[in-house]
Amino acid sequence: MALIALGLNHLCAPVALRERAAFSTDDTVGALGDLVAQPGVREAVILSTCNRTELYCNVDSGAESSPFEWLHRHQQLHGANIDEFLYRHTEADAVRHLFRVATGLESMVLGEPQILGQVKGAYNMARDARTLDAPLERLFQNTFSVAKRVRSDTSIGTNPVSVAFTAVRLAERVFTDLANACVLLVGAGETIELAARHLTAANVQRLIVANRTLDNAQALAGRFGGYAIALSDLERHLAEADIVISSTAAREPVIGREMVARAIAARRSRPMFLVDLAVPRDIETEVAKLPNVFLYSIDDLREVIDENLRSRQQAAVEAEAMIELSVEHFMTWWRALELNNPIASIRRNAEASRDEALAKARNLLARGKSADQALEFLAHTLTNKLVHAPSANLRAAALRGDSDLLQAAERLFDSPARETESR
C-alpha cells in the first residue's frame, strides 16, 4: 500500500488552472466512486476549495500514477500543463501535508479556521460515498485531533483572519467609510456569511444578498439587517452596489462584462469595487477592463493577507513541531499495519516477479522464438523467482539452527498436502 497526496493550490497554480481542476459539491460523490474504481486505488478523499484541489488516496504498490491519470482525464485537463503545477506527496510527506492543510499552515491566510471545516466536509463526503477504509479513516481522525490541539495549544488562531475578512479590509481601503456604501453579496455560503459579519462590524447600513435559492438569501439577509433578491434579479440591482463580493458554487460566471457595463452607465460612472472569492470565478475577467471598475480575484488578496502573517509566525513554528510528532506517531502505526499484513507483501512481490517474467517471455515471442520456448522460459523463470527467497532463507535458518522458522515453513507448505492425504 502507499499513501498519496496529489493536488494543486494557490501557492503553485494560478486561479485559471485551479478553477479547471475544481470539483463542485454535487460532482464530488460521483467522482469519488469513479476514482476508487481505478486500478489499484483502494481509498480516496477529494478536497476541493477555492484555494486547492487535492486527492488523498491509498493505492496498491505500482498504482501510484493512477490518481494523477484519473484527475487529468476526469477534469479534462489536456493542454493545461498540469504536471508543471501539481505537487505529489507520499507516505510521511502525504500525512504531513494533510496535517498542515487542516491546521491552516498551507492556507492563504496563515492559521485560518475555515479549512478544518472544509477538510471535515471532504471526509464526510468520502464516508458517505463509501470510499474510506481503516487507513484513511484513521489518518483523517488523527488529522482532526492534530488540528484541534494546534488551535487550542498555540496562538495560531489569535485575531482570526479569513479571506472574507481580507476582502472587507480591502474594501475599506477604497471606501474610507463603509457605512455609506451599498454592498451586494452574491451567494449565501460560509464565505459570504463571514463577509456579512465583518461588514456589519464595519457599520455597513445597506446590504443586499443575492442567491439562486431565495430562501437562503432571505435567511442570511435577515440575520444582518439586509434584504434579499433572487440571483435572476441580480442585474436589476447591480447598479445600486458600490461594493460587490461574490462567492458561489456556479460553474460559469454569474456577472458578465456587459452586465457591469450597463450598471456603470446607470451609476453615471461612479466607481464600483468587485471582489471575486469564487473558484471557478463568478465574475468575467474582462470586467476589469471597464472604466471606473476595480476587480480583484482571490489571488489579488495576497498582498493584504501578507500584512497579517507576522503575528502568527511563532505559532506556526510551534504547530510544525506538534505536526512532526504526530506524523511520526501515525507512520509508526502505518508501518506496523504493513508488517502485520505479510500476505500483501508476498502478493506484491509475486506479482512483480510474474510481470517481469511475462514481459521477457513476450519479448522472446517478438524475437521469433516459438510459443513452447517462451512458455518453458516463463515457467522456469517464474518458478526460480518465487522459490529463491524462501529457499535461501530456509538454508540460512538451517545453518544457524533456527528450528522455529523451519517448523513454521513446514506447516506453511506441507499442511494442505497432509490434510488432503488424510482425507
Side-chain angles (χ1 to χ4, degrees):
M1 296 186 293
L3 285 173
I4 293 176
L6 171 78
L8 44 82
N9 62 19
H10 63 99
L11 296 171
C12 65
V15 65
L17 180 55
R18 297 204 308 274
E19 64 188 2
R20 289 186 61 183
F23 292 82
S24 70
T25 301
D26 293 339
D27 294 340
T28 301
V29 172
L32 282 165
D34 190 43
L35 176 52
V36 296
Q38 303 307 304
V41 179
R42 296 186 176 195
E43 306 174 79
V45 174
I46 297 175
L47 173 63
S48 187
T49 74
C50 58
N51 281 330
R52 63 179 44 79
T53 293
E54 296 181 335
L55 310 181
Y56 293 92
C57 300
N58 176 20
V59 303
D60 291 331
S61 179
E64 289 84 357
S65 64
S66 287
F68 167 76
E69 293 167 357
W70 175 87
L71 179 65
H72 192 282
R73 183 173 61 254
H74 189 275
Q75 297 300 84
Q76 299 179 8
L77 296 173
H78 43 272
N81 296 323
I82 188 174
D83 201 42
E84 176 183 343
F85 301 96
L86 211 64
Y87 46 81
R88 297 177 178 85
H89 303 296
T90 60
E91 304 301 311
D93 290 336
V95 176
R96 182 179 297 105
H97 179 75
L98 178 57
F99 288 172
R100 286 176 53 81
V101 168
T103 52
L105 295 182
E106 293 282 332
S107 294
M108 182 179 289
V109 180
L110 181 64
E112 59 94 5
Q114 274 182 280
I115 184 61
L116 179 57
Q118 293 166 330
V119 172
K120 288 181 177 179
Y123 159 80
N124 286 331
M125 278 193 283
R127 187 176 59 180
D128 291 344
R130 300 179 183 274
T131 61
L132 289 178
D133 205 341
L136 282 192
E137 175 73 36
R138 177 139 182 171
L139 174 58
F140 274 81
Q141 291 301 329
N142 281 18
T143 298
F144 304 145
S145 177
V146 170
K148 182 179 180 180
R149 289 202 307 273
V150 167
R151 194 151 296 278
S152 62
D153 295 350
T154 76
S155 59
I156 199 165
T158 303
N159 300 319
V161 178
S162 65
V163 172
F165 175 80
T166 305
V168 174
R169 283 286 304 275
L170 193 59
E172 287 179 318
R173 291 185 176 187
V174 178
F175 296 87
T176 305
D177 187 3
L178 289 185
N180 295 323
C182 175
V183 181
L184 171 62
L185 300 177
V186 185
E190 185 177 357
T191 298
I192 290 298
E193 182 176 354
L194 285 171
R197 291 182 185 277
H198 294 308
L199 289 164
T200 302
N203 299 315
V204 167
Q205 301 300 310
R206 296 188 62 206
L207 196 64
I208 306 171
V209 180
N211 192 56
R212 195 176 306 279
T213 304
L214 184 57
D215 287 346
N216 292 344
Q218 290 172 336
L220 182 58
R223 290 200 296 273
F224 298 101
Y227 67 94
I229 63 172
L231 194 61
S232 55
D233 292 329
L234 178 62
E235 184 167 4
R236 290 202 298 127
H237 293 270
L238 187 58
E240 300 174 42
D242 301 303
I243 300 168
V244 178
I245 300 177
S246 186
S247 180
T248 76
R251 303 299 296 178
E252 301 292 336
V254 297
I255 299 176
R257 183 185 187 282
E258 296 307 316
M259 184 189 300
V260 177
R262 288 189 289 271
I264 287 294
R267 288 170 60 83
R268 297 184 179 181
S269 297
R270 283 186 294 121
M272 181 182 291
F273 175 78
L274 303 98
V275 183
D276 188 349
L277 300 180
V279 177
R281 285 171 285 189
D282 282 339
I283 304 173
E284 290 182 352
T285 56
E286 290 79 5
V287 167
K289 299 176 182 178
L290 293 171
N292 300 306
V293 171
F294 303 90
L295 173 61
Y296 291 83
S297 73
I298 195 168
D299 285 355
D300 296 324
L301 302 183
R302 192 181 307 277
E303 180 180 347
V304 180
I305 289 169
D306 287 345
E307 296 177 4
N308 301 303
L309 293 180
R310 297 185 187 90
S311 65
R312 301 188 175 200
Q313 293 300 330
Q314 182 55 42
V317 173
E318 298 171 12
E320 295 280 12
M322 295 172 67
I323 285 172
E324 285 304 312
L325 184 60
S326 298
V327 169
E328 183 179 335
H329 287 168
F330 180 83
M331 291 308 299
T332 298
W333 176 84
W334 173 260
R335 285 188 286 268
L337 184 67
E338 285 280 83
L339 290 173
N340 290 333
N341 187 17
I343 295 174
S345 178
I346 292 170
R347 179 173 292 277
R348 282 199 303 272
N349 292 336
E351 288 176 347
S353 297
R354 175 203 64 197
D355 293 343
E356 181 182 354
L358 185 59
K360 290 180 177 179
R362 285 173 172 162
N363 187 45
L364 289 176
L365 290 173
R367 286 160 44 199
K369 298 293 184 180
S370 69
D372 284 343
Q373 288 175 306
L375 286 172
E376 183 177 350
F377 170 85
L378 176 63
H380 177 75
T381 301
L382 191 55
T383 299
N384 284 343
K385 283 184 174 292
L386 291 177
V387 303
H388 172 71
S391 299
N393 288 329
L394 288 173
R395 281 195 297 271
L399 289 173
R400 64 175 181 267
D402 189 345
S403 59
D404 289 341
L405 181 59
L406 293 171
Q407 290 172 6
E410 183 178 0
R411 289 195 303 272
L412 178 64
F413 293 107
D414 290 352
S415 292
R418 289 177 179 175
E419 184 177 344
T420 302
E421 290 171 3
S422 66
R423 290 177 183 174

